Amino acid sequence: MKIWNVLILIVSAIALSVVSLWIGQQAYSWLPPQAAAESQLIDDLFSFLVTLGAFIFFGVTATLIYSVTFHRAGRYDFKDGPPIEGNVTLEVVWTAIPILVVLWIAGYSYQVYDQMAIRGPMEIVHLHTPIGMESAYAAPINSSAEPVENIEVNAKQWAWVFRYPNQDVTSTELHLPSNHRVRLALQSEDVIHGFYIPAFRLKQDIIPKRTIDFEFTPIRVGKYRLTDSQFSGTYFATMQANVVVESPEDYDKWLAQAATQKLSPAPNQAFAEYTQKTQESIKTGWATVSPAQPPVVNYSNPL
């Protein structure tokens, strides 16, 4: 009987592992298409967490169902349960296993963020990506080792402004060449903002009066969305921008065309809504800071 129970436990554990691994693989389809080389790192971590969570969830649920089905008291059994004393070995095991699992998750997560060179507010800023950053392994073979373009990103209440210093182009739309590493110099004029592109799996907090260099490799041609992941004030929901990944040839054409355009104020929803409210005779809503003036750019594209 004891051997039979052990065999049942082993078969159940194997079946549970197979189901959990299958669910973990399905997690890849829950996220947007991978548009940056670093996306694979985040997706692998997410799949790992889903697999582990599914294993724990189904394991605990199966144990509860088994206990309720085969070890429940009789209908009219009101006796107390057996006075089972503590088991030191069992207590050590069920304490050690969660600790090891948490350390495993923490170590894996830290490794991914270290490979992606995510900077925290207390870290030294204005550092370039470490040499040999493992995320570069996910990049296509023909991608260059050095960033082909340095782009300045200026965040303010409530607008994103992108400047290409080599071509002296300023835009409210972020254009990137595919299959080439780029370096962004992230800056904030006022409060903490969050640079977040879901399709790239990239999120970096931007600290006021600091410059944080951030590198990645876009690999999928298309149009994506940049949002502010930090609550930055009343109109923060309007602080979005298009991110256009295009071939290097189309990227160069866009830069050349944008450089010929004269500087002009870009449409800004936050500034327009704030101006409209201040002109109303009846004041409603919460007080807020005044939005920055619409950015003056060579190229702008309404969202």
mmCIF file of all heavy atoms in Angstrom, residues 191-219:
data_model
loop_
_atom_site.group_PDB
_atom_site.id
_atom_site.type_symbol
_atom_site.label_atom_id
_atom_site.label_comp_id
_atom_site.label_asym_id
_atom_site.label_seq_id
_atom_site.Cartn_x
_atom_site.Cartn_y
_atom_site.Cartn_z
ATOM 1 N N VAL A 191 8.858 66.146 -12.786
ATOM 2 C CA VAL A 191 8.609 65.099 -11.798
ATOM 3 C C VAL A 191 9.116 63.762 -12.346
ATOM 4 O O VAL A 191 9.663 63.690 -13.443
ATOM 5 C CB VAL A 191 7.106 64.999 -11.461
ATOM 6 C CG1 VAL A 191 6.605 66.296 -10.848
ATOM 7 C CG2 VAL A 191 6.299 64.651 -12.707
ATOM 8 N N ILE A 192 8.927 62.700 -11.555
ATOM 9 C CA ILE A 192 9.321 61.369 -12.010
ATOM 10 C C ILE A 192 8.348 60.894 -13.093
ATOM 11 O O ILE A 192 7.137 60.911 -12.901
ATOM 12 C CB ILE A 192 9.339 60.371 -10.840
ATOM 13 C CG1 ILE A 192 10.403 60.763 -9.817
ATOM 14 C CG2 ILE A 192 9.602 58.955 -11.353
ATOM 15 C CD1 ILE A 192 10.444 59.842 -8.607
ATOM 16 N N HIS A 193 8.883 60.485 -14.216
ATOM 17 C CA HIS A 193 8.101 59.896 -15.290
ATOM 18 C C HIS A 193 8.593 58.462 -15.526
ATOM 19 O O HIS A 193 9.698 58.099 -15.102
ATOM 20 C CB HIS A 193 8.232 60.711 -16.581
ATOM 21 C CG HIS A 193 7.661 62.091 -16.488
ATOM 22 N ND1 HIS A 193 6.316 62.361 -16.638
ATOM 23 C CD2 HIS A 193 8.259 63.294 -16.253
ATOM 24 C CE1 HIS A 193 6.107 63.665 -16.509
ATOM 25 N NE2 HIS A 193 7.270 64.256 -16.271
ATOM 26 N N GLY A 194 7.783 57.678 -16.200
ATOM 27 C CA GLY A 194 8.156 56.307 -16.509
ATOM 28 C C GLY A 194 8.128 56.049 -18.004
ATOM 29 O O GLY A 194 7.080 56.169 -18.642
ATOM 30 N N PHE A 195 9.281 55.697 -18.561
ATOM 31 C CA PHE A 195 9.377 55.380 -19.986
ATOM 32 C C PHE A 195 8.984 53.918 -20.165
ATOM 33 O O PHE A 195 9.698 53.017 -19.741
ATOM 34 C CB PHE A 195 10.822 55.621 -20.461
ATOM 35 C CG PHE A 195 11.044 55.373 -21.924
ATOM 36 C CD1 PHE A 195 10.859 56.383 -22.848
ATOM 37 C CD2 PHE A 195 11.469 54.133 -22.382
ATOM 38 C CE1 PHE A 195 11.071 56.158 -24.196
ATOM 39 C CE2 PHE A 195 11.688 53.892 -23.712
ATOM 40 C CZ PHE A 195 11.488 54.912 -24.632
ATOM 41 N N TYR A 196 7.823 53.684 -20.786
ATOM 42 C CA TYR A 196 7.286 52.324 -20.847
ATOM 43 C C TYR A 196 6.713 52.037 -22.227
ATOM 44 O O TYR A 196 5.787 52.711 -22.673
ATOM 45 C CB TYR A 196 6.201 52.144 -19.783
ATOM 46 C CG TYR A 196 5.550 50.775 -19.783
ATOM 47 C CD1 TYR A 196 6.300 49.606 -19.886
ATOM 48 C CD2 TYR A 196 4.159 50.657 -19.687
ATOM 49 C CE1 TYR A 196 5.700 48.363 -19.888
ATOM 50 C CE2 TYR A 196 3.543 49.412 -19.682
ATOM 51 C CZ TYR A 196 4.320 48.269 -19.786
ATOM 52 O OH TYR A 196 3.725 47.033 -19.783
ATOM 53 N N ILE A 197 7.277 51.025 -22.907
ATOM 54 C CA ILE A 197 6.781 50.555 -24.196
ATOM 55 C C ILE A 197 6.421 49.085 -24.017
ATOM 56 O O ILE A 197 7.297 48.221 -23.992
ATOM 57 C CB ILE A 197 7.835 50.723 -25.309
ATOM 58 C CG1 ILE A 197 8.340 52.172 -25.365
ATOM 59 C CG2 ILE A 197 7.247 50.320 -26.663
ATOM 60 C CD1 ILE A 197 9.446 52.390 -26.368
ATOM 61 N N PRO A 198 5.128 48.753 -23.882
ATOM 62 C CA PRO A 198 4.748 47.365 -23.609
ATOM 63 C C PRO A 198 5.280 46.360 -24.632
ATOM 64 O O PRO A 198 5.707 45.266 -24.261
ATOM 65 C CB PRO A 198 3.213 47.424 -23.616
ATOM 66 C CG PRO A 198 2.880 48.837 -23.247
ATOM 67 C CD PRO A 198 3.959 49.664 -23.867
ATOM 68 N N ALA A 199 5.248 46.711 -25.909
ATOM 69 C CA ALA A 199 5.703 45.770 -26.937
ATOM 70 C C ALA A 199 7.200 45.511 -26.849
ATOM 71 O O ALA A 199 7.679 44.474 -27.320
ATOM 72 C CB ALA A 199 5.357 46.305 -28.330
ATOM 73 N N PHE A 200 7.948 46.432 -26.234
ATOM 74 C CA PHE A 200 9.384 46.248 -26.057
ATOM 75 C C PHE A 200 9.707 45.596 -24.714
ATOM 76 O O PHE A 200 10.845 45.204 -24.476
ATOM 77 C CB PHE A 200 10.116 47.585 -26.130
ATOM 78 C CG PHE A 200 10.134 48.216 -27.494
ATOM 79 C CD1 PHE A 200 9.454 47.646 -28.560
ATOM 80 C CD2 PHE A 200 10.830 49.392 -27.707
ATOM 81 C CE1 PHE A 200 9.469 48.229 -29.814
ATOM 82 C CE2 PHE A 200 10.854 49.989 -28.958
ATOM 83 C CZ PHE A 200 10.172 49.405 -30.016
ATOM 84 N N ARG A 201 8.701 45.530 -23.804
ATOM 85 C CA ARG A 201 8.898 45.051 -22.422
ATOM 86 C C ARG A 201 9.912 45.939 -21.690
ATOM 87 O O ARG A 201 10.642 45.475 -20.823
ATOM 88 C CB ARG A 201 9.377 43.606 -22.371
ATOM 89 C CG ARG A 201 8.691 42.649 -23.303
ATOM 90 C CD ARG A 201 7.231 42.408 -22.980
ATOM 91 N NE ARG A 201 6.758 41.265 -23.726
ATOM 92 C CZ ARG A 201 6.207 41.334 -24.943
ATOM 93 N NH1 ARG A 201 6.038 42.538 -25.511
ATOM 94 N NH2 ARG A 201 5.818 40.259 -25.581
ATOM 95 N N LEU A 202 9.959 47.203 -22.044
ATOM 96 C CA LEU A 202 10.934 48.119 -21.452
ATOM 97 C C LEU A 202 10.234 49.124 -20.553
ATOM 98 O O LEU A 202 9.245 49.733 -20.951
ATOM 99 C CB LEU A 202 11.702 48.871 -22.541
ATOM 100 C CG LEU A 202 12.579 48.023 -23.467
ATOM 101 C CD1 LEU A 202 13.187 48.897 -24.549
ATOM 102 C CD2 LEU A 202 13.675 47.323 -22.682
ATOM 103 N N LYS A 203 10.762 49.302 -19.359
ATOM 104 C CA LYS A 203 10.245 50.311 -18.443
ATOM 105 C C LYS A 203 11.419 50.871 -17.654
ATOM 106 O O LYS A 203 12.166 50.122 -17.026
ATOM 107 C CB LYS A 203 9.215 49.724 -17.485
ATOM 108 C CG LYS A 203 8.693 50.727 -16.454
ATOM 109 C CD LYS A 203 7.782 50.058 -15.459
ATOM 110 C CE LYS A 203 7.341 51.059 -14.377
ATOM 111 N NZ LYS A 203 8.482 51.592 -13.603
ATOM 112 N N GLN A 204 11.592 52.182 -17.714
ATOM 113 C CA GLN A 204 12.666 52.841 -16.992
ATOM 114 C C GLN A 204 12.141 54.137 -16.388
ATOM 115 O O GLN A 204 11.616 54.989 -17.103
ATOM 116 C CB GLN A 204 13.835 53.145 -17.926
ATOM 117 C CG GLN A 204 14.937 53.981 -17.309
ATOM 118 C CD GLN A 204 15.610 53.271 -16.138
ATOM 119 O OE1 GLN A 204 16.160 52.199 -16.302
ATOM 120 N NE2 GLN A 204 15.555 53.857 -14.959
ATOM 121 N N ASP A 205 12.267 54.269 -15.075
ATOM 122 C CA ASP A 205 11.884 55.513 -14.424
ATOM 123 C C ASP A 205 12.864 56.619 -14.791
ATOM 124 O O ASP A 205 14.074 56.398 -14.890
ATOM 125 C CB ASP A 205 11.847 55.337 -12.905
ATOM 126 C CG ASP A 205 10.697 54.436 -12.458
ATOM 127 O OD1 ASP A 205 9.786 54.230 -13.265
ATOM 128 O OD2 ASP A 205 10.739 53.944 -11.325
ATOM 129 N N ILE A 206 12.338 57.821 -14.984
ATOM 130 C CA ILE A 206 13.152 58.987 -15.339
ATOM 131 C C ILE A 206 13.141 59.940 -14.155
ATOM 132 O O ILE A 206 12.076 60.384 -13.712
ATOM 133 C CB ILE A 206 12.608 59.682 -16.598
ATOM 134 C CG1 ILE A 206 12.375 58.659 -17.719
ATOM 135 C CG2 ILE A 206 13.555 60.772 -17.065
ATOM 136 C CD1 ILE A 206 11.739 59.251 -18.954
ATOM 137 N N ILE A 207 14.311 60.246 -13.640
ATOM 138 C CA ILE A 207 14.451 61.035 -12.423
ATOM 139 C C ILE A 207 14.751 62.490 -12.785
ATOM 140 O O ILE A 207 15.610 62.760 -13.634
ATOM 141 C CB ILE A 207 15.586 60.483 -11.533
ATOM 142 C CG1 ILE A 207 15.459 58.969 -11.399
ATOM 143 C CG2 ILE A 207 15.568 61.155 -10.171
ATOM 144 C CD1 ILE A 207 14.154 58.483 -10.811
ATOM 145 N N PRO A 208 14.063 63.466 -12.172
ATOM 146 C CA PRO A 208 14.342 64.877 -12.468
ATOM 147 C C PRO A 208 15.801 65.242 -12.191
ATOM 148 O O PRO A 208 16.421 64.720 -11.257
ATOM 149 C CB PRO A 208 13.390 65.633 -11.530
ATOM 150 C CG PRO A 208 12.298 64.655 -11.223
ATOM 151 C CD PRO A 208 12.946 63.302 -11.225
ATOM 152 N N LYS A 209 16.329 66.130 -13.001
ATOM 153 C CA LYS A 209 17.693 66.648 -12.868
ATOM 154 C C LYS A 209 18.745 65.551 -12.984
ATOM 155 O O LYS A 209 19.830 65.641 -12.409
ATOM 156 C CB LYS A 209 17.869 67.400 -11.546
ATOM 157 C CG LYS A 209 16.932 68.584 -11.389
ATOM 158 C CD LYS A 209 17.159 69.297 -10.059
ATOM 159 C CE LYS A 209 16.212 70.476 -9.910
ATOM 160 N NZ LYS A 209 16.392 71.185 -8.619
ATOM 161 N N ARG A 210 18.424 64.478 -13.683
ATOM 162 C CA ARG A 210 19.364 63.393 -13.935
ATOM 163 C C ARG A 210 19.252 62.988 -15.395
ATOM 164 O O ARG A 210 18.226 63.189 -16.042
ATOM 165 C CB ARG A 210 19.070 62.172 -13.061
ATOM 166 C CG ARG A 210 19.216 62.409 -11.568
ATOM 167 C CD ARG A 210 20.684 62.542 -11.186
ATOM 168 N NE ARG A 210 20.849 62.587 -9.747
ATOM 169 C CZ ARG A 210 20.775 63.682 -9.006
ATOM 170 N NH1 ARG A 210 20.511 64.841 -9.590
ATOM 171 N NH2 ARG A 210 20.967 63.636 -7.706
ATOM 172 N N THR A 211 20.309 62.395 -15.925
ATOM 173 C CA THR A 211 20.283 61.821 -17.261
ATOM 174 C C THR A 211 20.606 60.342 -17.138
ATOM 175 O O THR A 211 21.645 59.977 -16.593
ATOM 176 C CB THR A 211 21.301 62.499 -18.201
ATOM 177 O OG1 THR A 211 20.967 63.882 -18.327
ATOM 178 C CG2 THR A 211 21.267 61.851 -19.577
ATOM 179 N N ILE A 212 19.705 59.511 -17.620
ATOM 180 C CA ILE A 212 19.885 58.067 -17.541
ATOM 181 C C ILE A 212 19.979 57.521 -18.957
ATOM 182 O O ILE A 212 19.058 57.670 -19.758
ATOM 183 C CB ILE A 212 18.712 57.400 -16.791
ATOM 184 C CG1 ILE A 212 18.623 57.939 -15.365
ATOM 185 C CG2 ILE A 212 18.879 55.884 -16.775
ATOM 186 C CD1 ILE A 212 17.466 57.381 -14.564
ATOM 187 N N ASP A 213 21.102 56.899 -19.274
ATOM 188 C CA ASP A 213 21.272 56.279 -20.583
ATOM 189 C C ASP A 213 20.627 54.901 -20.588
ATOM 190 O O ASP A 213 20.786 54.124 -19.633
ATOM 191 C CB ASP A 213 22.755 56.145 -20.931
ATOM 192 C CG ASP A 213 23.359 57.487 -21.320
ATOM 193 O OD1 ASP A 213 22.610 58.463 -21.486
ATOM 194 O OD2 ASP A 213 24.587 57.554 -21.442
ATOM 195 N N PHE A 214 19.909 54.600 -21.659
ATOM 196 C CA PHE A 214 19.174 53.343 -21.728
ATOM 197 C C PHE A 214 19.289 52.785 -23.141
ATOM 198 O O PHE A 214 18.952 53.472 -24.102
ATOM 199 C CB PHE A 214 17.705 53.604 -21.362
ATOM 200 C CG PHE A 214 16.912 52.360 -21.105
ATOM 201 C CD1 PHE A 214 17.370 51.383 -20.239
ATOM 202 C CD2 PHE A 214 15.693 52.169 -21.734
ATOM 203 C CE1 PHE A 214 16.620 50.243 -19.998
ATOM 204 C CE2 PHE A 214 14.936 51.039 -21.494
ATOM 205 C CZ PHE A 214 15.407 50.070 -20.623
ATOM 206 N N GLU A 215 19.764 51.558 -23.273
ATOM 207 C CA GLU A 215 19.992 50.956 -24.580
ATOM 208 C C GLU A 215 19.090 49.747 -24.805
ATOM 209 O O GLU A 215 18.771 49.008 -23.872
ATOM 210 C CB GLU A 215 21.448 50.514 -24.717
ATOM 211 C CG GLU A 215 22.445 51.660 -24.689
ATOM 212 C CD GLU A 215 23.869 51.172 -24.935
ATOM 213 O OE1 GLU A 215 24.022 50.015 -25.376
ATOM 214 O OE2 GLU A 215 24.816 51.932 -24.670
ATOM 215 N N PHE A 216 18.692 49.547 -26.055
ATOM 216 C CA PHE A 216 17.929 48.370 -26.433
ATOM 217 C C PHE A 216 17.996 48.224 -27.947
ATOM 218 O O PHE A 216 18.530 49.088 -28.653
ATOM 219 C CB PHE A 216 16.464 48.468 -25.963
ATOM 220 C CG PHE A 216 15.727 49.673 -26.478
ATOM 221 C CD1 PHE A 216 15.003 49.613 -27.661
ATOM 222 C CD2 PHE A 216 15.757 50.877 -25.786
ATOM 223 C CE1 PHE A 216 14.323 50.722 -28.139
ATOM 224 C CE2 PHE A 216 15.077 51.979 -26.249
ATOM 225 C CZ PHE A 216 14.357 51.905 -27.433
ATOM 226 N N THR A 217 17.434 47.116 -28.446
ATOM 227 C CA THR A 217 17.486 46.821 -29.874
ATOM 228 C C THR A 217 16.092 46.515 -30.398
ATOM 229 O O THR A 217 15.564 45.433 -30.133
ATOM 230 C CB THR A 217 18.402 45.615 -30.157
ATOM 231 O OG1 THR A 217 19.689 45.847 -29.589
ATOM 232 C CG2 THR A 217 18.543 45.381 -31.662
ATOM 233 N N PRO A 218 15.450 47.435 -31.113
ATOM 234 C CA PRO A 218 14.154 47.126 -31.737
ATOM 235 C C PRO A 218 14.354 46.154 -32.899
ATOM 236 O O PRO A 218 15.304 46.296 -33.674
ATOM 237 C CB PRO A 218 13.658 48.488 -32.226
ATOM 238 C CG PRO A 218 14.892 49.317 -32.367
ATOM 239 C CD PRO A 218 15.877 48.830 -31.356
ATOM 240 N N ILE A 219 13.479 45.157 -33.027
ATOM 241 C CA ILE A 219 13.675 44.115 -34.040
ATOM 242 C C ILE A 219 12.442 43.880 -34.902
ATOM 243 O O ILE A 219 12.508 43.112 -35.862
ATOM 244 C CB ILE A 219 14.072 42.776 -33.376
ATOM 245 C CG1 ILE A 219 12.986 42.320 -32.401
ATOM 246 C CG2 ILE A 219 15.429 42.878 -32.696
ATOM 247 C CD1 ILE A 219 13.219 40.952 -31.812
#
